[in-house]
Amino acid sequence: MGWRRAPSAGHRERALESVFTSSPATAGGPIIDFAADESCLAIEGLSLAYGETPALRDLTLRVPRHRVTAFIGPSGCGKSTLLRALNRLHDLNEEVVRRGEIRLEGQDIHAPEVDVAELRRRVGMVFQAPNPFPMSIYDNVAFGLRLQGGLRKRRIDDTVEWALQSAALWEEVKDRLRASAWTLSGGQQQRLVIARTLAVGPEVLLLDEPASALDPISTLKIEELIRNLKSRLSLVLVTHNMQQAARVSDYTAFLQRGELVEYGPTQTLFTNPRLARTENYITGRMT
Amino acid sequence: MRPFLTRRRGEGPWPWLAAGSVALSLSMLAGLLLLLAVGGLGHFWPAEVSEVTPREGAPFAGIPVREERVVGSERRERLYFTGNLDLDGERWRWIPLDAIAALEAPPELVVLERRRWGDFLGHLVALEDGGRRHAGAAAWPALEERLATLETLRDERDHLRDAVVAPLVRRLEQGGDPAAAAELARANARIRELQTAMQGATLVLESVDGRRLEQPLAEVLRAWRPNAMSPPQKLAAWGRGVWRFLSEGPRAANSAGGVWPAIFGTVMMVLLMSVVVTPFGVLAGIYLNEVARQGPFTRLVRIGVRNLAGVPSIVYGVFGLGVFVHGIGGSLDAWFFADSLPSPTFGTGGLLWASLTLALLTLPVVIVATEEGLARVPEHQREGALALGATRMEMLTRVVLPMTVPAMLTGLILAVARAAGEVAPLMLVGVAKLAPQVPVDGEFPFLHLERKFMHLGYHIYDTAFHGDDVQAAMPLVYATALLLVLVILVLNLTAIFLRHHLRARHGVASRA
């Protein structure tokens, strides 16, 4: 890295102070907590702003291992921002200022010795719109593997097959691995992107509204895939679709205006929310 | 009830104006190409020769060229190409139409293309070869046979001169080499032998009005009897003419012969320019769009680059002359070619400096196109690569740049189109009126970057404005202009084909 010079630390601190000092004390509802050995990701007092515009305020939560955790909330509540903070995709945006810590398996992901590329291999991400690269299906899945270098062709072949099977796409594409990825349908493309991410062996998979651009059948397939994947890794799902969150997630965090409002087991949060703000949102009464 | 379908709301004159301007542009373009094609390609057609008998004076043979109205009267007059510069002292003759008493096209009229004095139009009386004389009907077959023999002898001599003697001479100039000297002597002896074999025969010619002329056969290049030729024969002759124009070097101060060195020079220069401008332009575009911190400075650089595209090309020529030719070239000469000073090697205009100057001229186009291509790569593609653990460099080289290649080629196409047609800067940095030796040959280092070269654009300028016979040069100017357009078209089509191929592979939608 080091292509763009980061603003000096002093400058960054001052910017943070001016943005976050006005942050009101959150009237955070009862928040579920996991022991350190149950959680893969721990977020501690995370605040984040785009320039002068705060996006996240003093967020603290832990993401459980081998579970699906959903972030829900109205547009602009910061759920996508939070997701992108988890694999440091904000690094590219010079405007973004941050305070607080994110720990992956106990290690601060912003520590200077952390290799961002390695972090992103461990915390994979699938985006809202399917974004396969303009190359063959095979090359898409092998992309991340080839970046690591030094792998034998045989090994790559095996991993590509395994990843496509894991993403429930193998049967549909095994006869045309050399075809352009852009010939696939939207749902297939999204599963291809998931396979591509799985191929590099992540511990955590971040899904940013992975089904919002897909038809209902494709959405169901993706949801089924998400449920099947949690035996292997931890998943974090951002979604607008409350039914989807209820269907696939084990835990749900409700965010509003950059703050964590309520966080608990999905069942509890949807049937018996503790805060009126949560209830209003999930029952469709906007505040 | 109100009618459901009412009159369509008028769209005003705009669709008509837009369509009209497209139609006007296209028809102007088509008209230009048609003018070039007719004016240029017609020249190679073996036109019929008329025997014109005026009401007063002697008859003459001529090829009608065009008709015009006499200024200030109703009469029309016709221009004939009459050739026979050695007999008449001129090659063209205007004659009023009403002054013509009779027009004939006798099949036995011959046209001779000669090395000196230009074409001859008239009768072939006899061919004298040593002691033998072929007269009357036997003269024409004998002439055709002798010309074919001459052609093979001439080819062998030219081959010896260009491919054997010239490299040997250069080898000897660089240092004494007894083997080379012996070889050179042998080659020269063979050339003299060939020269002697070519001499000897003489043609006895007679103009239409009866003046006799003895013409050494060695100076005759070609002979034909257009009035006796059938259309297929004429077509074949036309094809040969076009081919000679494309494949031979110019003769008679660029007013006759072909343009092969100019084609080669143009293409070579454009290719060299592309090789230079592409990496620089692409890297600059990548830096501006991907690497540099976006701010007032990059904005300033961008404005500067875009404005550089508007600088008149002659300014680049002066820059190239000052910096490349005199500055860098002068230094190179002082350091590496001091032996041959004061005659310059790189310190004078040449292929390399011309290519560099044009590369500089077209750099802004490539930078802008690359930047636009990079900006068109969707953000989610970049993020997708980063999210898989790619570094910024890997993201660039493996995802972003492959998707940008079509845009870079678009930039290159624009650059080629501009560079191939540019003449003004070349006049300062290396184009030559006559450089029959193309800058690539079989002699080390094969590509001679320091040589001067010919260029189609400059050739047009030179033929049209610096010849002594503008009438004769005009069709060549048309043909050369047509050729320049075609060369640019071929270069562009190559790039477009490549771009289409790449775009199909990378599936990036981009226009232009």
Side-chain angles (χ1 to χ4, degrees):
Chain A
M1 299 302 282
W3 289 59
R4 289 178 176 147
R5 272 166 291 128
S8 68
H11 169 79
R12 194 168 257 202
E13 274 310 307
R14 276 195 304 282
L16 278 170
E17 287 310 319
S18 63
V19 174
F20 295 125
T21 40
S22 59
S23 159
T26 316
I31 280 170
I32 191 169
D33 205 1
F34 299 95
D37 59 342
E38 287 175 319
S39 68
C40 55
L41 278 165
I43 302 160
E44 300 277 359
L46 180 71
S47 298
L48 196 142
Y50 295 103
E52 301 292 304
T53 320
L56 296 175
R57 287 180 213 266
D58 198 20
L59 234 76
T60 300
L61 76 132
R62 289 187 179 174
V63 176
R65 206 177 282 135
H66 292 292
R67 294 285 179 273
V68 180
T69 307
F71 295 165
I72 60 168
S75 294
C77 72
K79 51 193 191 301
S80 286
T81 304
L82 173 60
L83 200 69
R84 294 161 71 89
L86 296 181
N87 70 349
R88 287 181 60 179
L89 263 191
H90 291 306
D91 278 13
L92 284 185
N93 191 338
E94 289 162 44
E95 279 188 339
V96 170
V97 284
R98 172 193 52 83
R99 189 163 65 180
E101 241 179 42
I102 300 170
R103 286 195 302 273
L104 174 65
E105 299 295 351
Q107 192 194 12
D108 181 8
I109 65 167
H110 294 99
E113 70 272 14
V114 168
D115 175 7
V116 186
E118 172 67 23
L119 168 74
R120 291 187 184 136
R121 280 199 286 273
R122 290 176 63 186
V123 184
M125 183 155 187
V126 172
F127 298 85
Q128 182 172 358
N131 61 345
F133 302 130
M135 39 180 100
S136 74
I137 294 170
Y138 180 92
D139 288 340
N140 260 283
V141 183
F143 185 88
L145 294 170
R146 286 178 177 153
L147 287 177
Q148 296 169 33
L151 293 180
R152 289 170 182 281
K153 172 135 189 5
R154 184 65 197 279
R155 168 90 194 280
I156 294 182
D157 283 347
D158 291 346
T159 314
V160 167
E161 182 178 344
W162 170 84
L164 284 169
Q165 272 167 351
S166 305
L169 192 60
W170 176 252
E171 289 303 320
E172 292 161 64
V173 300
K174 65 180 177 189
D175 298 326
R176 49 176 182 140
L177 290 175
R178 298 285 158 197
S180 166
W182 289 13
T183 59
L184 297 175
S185 74
Q188 287 174 324
Q189 286 189 9
Q190 196 62 302
R191 276 180 284 148
L192 176 67
V193 171
I194 293 175
R196 183 174 80 181
T197 312
L198 290 178
V200 295
E203 299 158 31
V204 182
L205 184 58
L206 310 175
L207 302 141
D208 190 357
E209 300 183 40
S212 67
L214 305 180
D215 62 276
I217 304 285
S218 301
T219 303
L220 282 179
K221 282 189 182 163
I222 297 278
E223 287 177 5
E224 193 187 331
L225 181 58
I226 292 172
R227 275 194 297 271
N228 291 340
L229 282 176
K230 70 181 173 188
S231 61
R232 292 207 196 118
L233 38 73
S234 320
L235 295 108
V236 183
L237 170 75
V238 159
T239 181
H240 268 302
N241 182 334
M242 241 103 42
Q243 286 78 23
Q244 187 175 63
R247 280 196 299 266
V248 299
S249 72
D250 303 301
Y251 297 92
T252 300
F254 171 52
L255 281 80
Q256 205 173 30
R257 297 194 202 100
E259 292 163 22
L260 180 63
V261 178
E262 187 164 344
Y263 181 33
T266 303
Q267 197 70 30
T268 321
L269 192 117
F270 275 91
T271 53
N272 189 17
R274 303 198 183 187
L275 290 184
R277 281 159 78 189
T278 315
E279 188 174 355
N280 286 343
Y281 179 72
I282 58 181
T283 54
R285 285 196 292 273
M286 291 306 294
T287 46
Chain B
M1 200 177 118
R2 198 160 156 249
F4 183 65
L5 284 170
T6 52
R7 196 172 60 88
R8 265 183 60 200
R9 219 163 76 216
E11 288 172 310
W14 299 112
W16 290 101
L17 269 177
S21 54
V22 170
L24 188 70
S25 315
L26 286 182
S27 55
M28 281 191 334
L29 206 62
L32 173 74
L33 287 178
L34 196 71
L35 178 75
L36 294 183
V38 170
L41 295 178
H43 172 66
F44 303 105
W45 187 257
E48 197 165 81
V49 184
S50 318
E51 187 177 328
V52 184
T53 317
R55 290 188 194 286
E56 293 161 22
F60 63 93
I63 298 167
V65 179
R66 64 171 188 272
E67 281 180 22
E68 263 172 34
R69 231 179 61 192
V70 182
V71 180
S73 89
E74 285 303 304
R75 299 165 70 200
R76 297 182 68 80
E77 56 179 358
R78 185 181 287 162
L79 176 68
Y80 279 99
F81 172 74
T82 56
N84 302 4
L85 187 65
D86 39 352
L87 290 172
D88 304 336
E90 55 184 328
R91 277 193 276 235
W92 306 88
R93 180 155 170 185
W94 284 101
I95 182 164
L97 288 186
D98 51 15
I100 299 176
L103 268 181
E104 278 176 87
E108 76 278 6
L109 278 182
V110 294
V111 181
L112 299 184
E113 193 180 333
R114 303 177 294 180
R115 202 176 281 286
R116 292 175 65 216
W117 300 111
D119 290 357
F120 169 85
L121 279 68
H123 298 286
L124 173 66
V125 179
L127 187 149
E128 289 173 353
D129 187 2
R132 294 187 20 228
R133 179 184 167 96
H134 309 269
W140 175 251
L143 172 63
E144 276 189 318
E145 187 200 319
R146 286 306 310 255
L147 279 177
T149 326
L150 265 181
E151 178 110 29
T152 45
L153 293 177
R154 214 179 272 134
D155 283 349
E156 189 184 342
R157 182 199 61 191
D158 291 348
H159 173 78
L160 270 176
R161 203 161 49 190
D162 296 342
V164 179
V165 173
L168 281 174
V169 167
R170 271 194 291 269
R171 235 166 84 191
L172 283 173
E173 275 172 358
Q174 279 157 17
D177 181 353
E183 216 176 311
L184 181 64
R186 261 201 314 280
N188 275 330
R190 175 68 186 148
I191 288 179
R192 271 193 299 276
E193 220 172 275
L194 290 168
Q195 298 274 33
T196 323
M198 282 183 229
Q199 305 299 328
T202 312
L203 295 177
V204 179
L205 304 171
E206 191 181 75
S207 70
V208 174
D209 54 347
R211 284 172 296 168
R212 288 248 167 156
L213 178 71
E214 299 226 327
Q215 171 70 48
L217 184 63
E219 285 186 1
V220 176
L221 294 170
R222 268 172 294 280
W224 63 97
R225 294 198 292 183
N227 298 355
M229 283 163 93
S230 64
Q233 278 174 324
K234 282 190 173 183
L235 196 66
W238 179 82
R240 283 195 298 275
V242 171
W243 173 245
R244 275 197 302 276
F245 178 69
L246 296 178
S247 62
E248 285 181 0
R251 280 187 291 112
N254 290 357
S255 66
V259 292
W260 167 243
I263 300 176
F264 193 89
T266 308
V267 171
M268 204 60 222
M269 184 203 67
V270 168
L271 289 183
L272 265 177
M273 177 220 71
S274 309
V275 166
V276 176
V277 78
T278 313
F280 276 103
V282 165
L283 285 177
I286 290 173
Y287 180 79
L288 277 179
N289 208 59
E290 302 286 323
V291 184
R293 233 180 124 78
Q294 303 300 310
F297 183 68
T298 39
R299 209 169 309 138
L300 203 69
V301 171
R302 249 185 220 120
I303 293 172
V305 167
R306 276 156 177 74
N307 278 307
L308 274 180
V311 172
S313 54
I314 190 75
V315 176
Y316 284 98
V318 174
F319 179 87
L321 181 67
V323 174
F324 294 141
V325 177
H326 292 160
I328 303 175
S331 310
L332 280 179
D333 274 4
W335 294 335
F336 302 111
F337 302 96
D339 307 348
S340 52
L341 282 175
S343 86
T345 308
F346 276 103
T348 178
L351 181 61
L352 177 65
W353 304 138
S355 306
L356 286 185
T357 306
L358 285 188
L360 209 60
L361 175 86
T362 51
L363 193 59
V365 181
V366 178
I367 295 179
V368 170
T370 305
E371 272 208 272
E372 284 174 359
L374 287 170
R376 260 200 309 258
V377 174
E379 196 57 34
H380 62 74
Q381 289 283 340
R382 298 161 190 268
E383 289 183 339
L386 290 176
L388 286 173
T391 62
R392 280 181 56 101
M393 195 63 207
E394 288 164 339
M395 172 193 85
L396 259 182
T397 52
R398 297 187 187 215
V399 175
V400 176
L401 290 187
M403 293 177 81
T404 317
V405 169
M408 295 171 190
L409 282 173
T410 303
L412 191 61
I413 290 170
L414 295 173
V416 164
R418 172 137 195 227
E422 203 59 77
V423 176
L426 296 182
M427 291 160 82
L428 301 180
V429 293
V431 83
K433 176 185 169 73
L434 184 65
Q437 248 187 339
V438 295
V440 173
D441 58 26
E443 195 190 337
F444 186 80
F446 309 117
L447 175 62
H448 301 274
L449 292 173
E450 80 287 357
R451 279 193 199 161
K452 287 192 181 286
F453 63 102
M454 292 182 74
H455 183 271
L456 284 170
Y458 183 74
H459 192 76
I460 293 171
Y461 171 72
D462 184 66
T463 315
F465 297 106
H466 290 135
D468 50 358
D469 190 345
V470 179
Q471 290 284 6
M474 214 152 56
L476 288 179
V477 172
Y478 280 123
T480 313
L482 182 68
L483 197 62
L484 181 56
V485 174
L486 289 179
V487 165
I488 295 175
L489 192 71
V490 167
L491 286 170
N492 278 347
L493 281 179
T494 316
I496 288 171
F497 178 77
L498 198 65
R499 183 179 63 180
H500 181 81
H501 180 74
L502 287 169
R503 197 179 284 163
R505 213 172 74 198
H506 295 296
V508 182
S510 65
R511 282 155 59 96

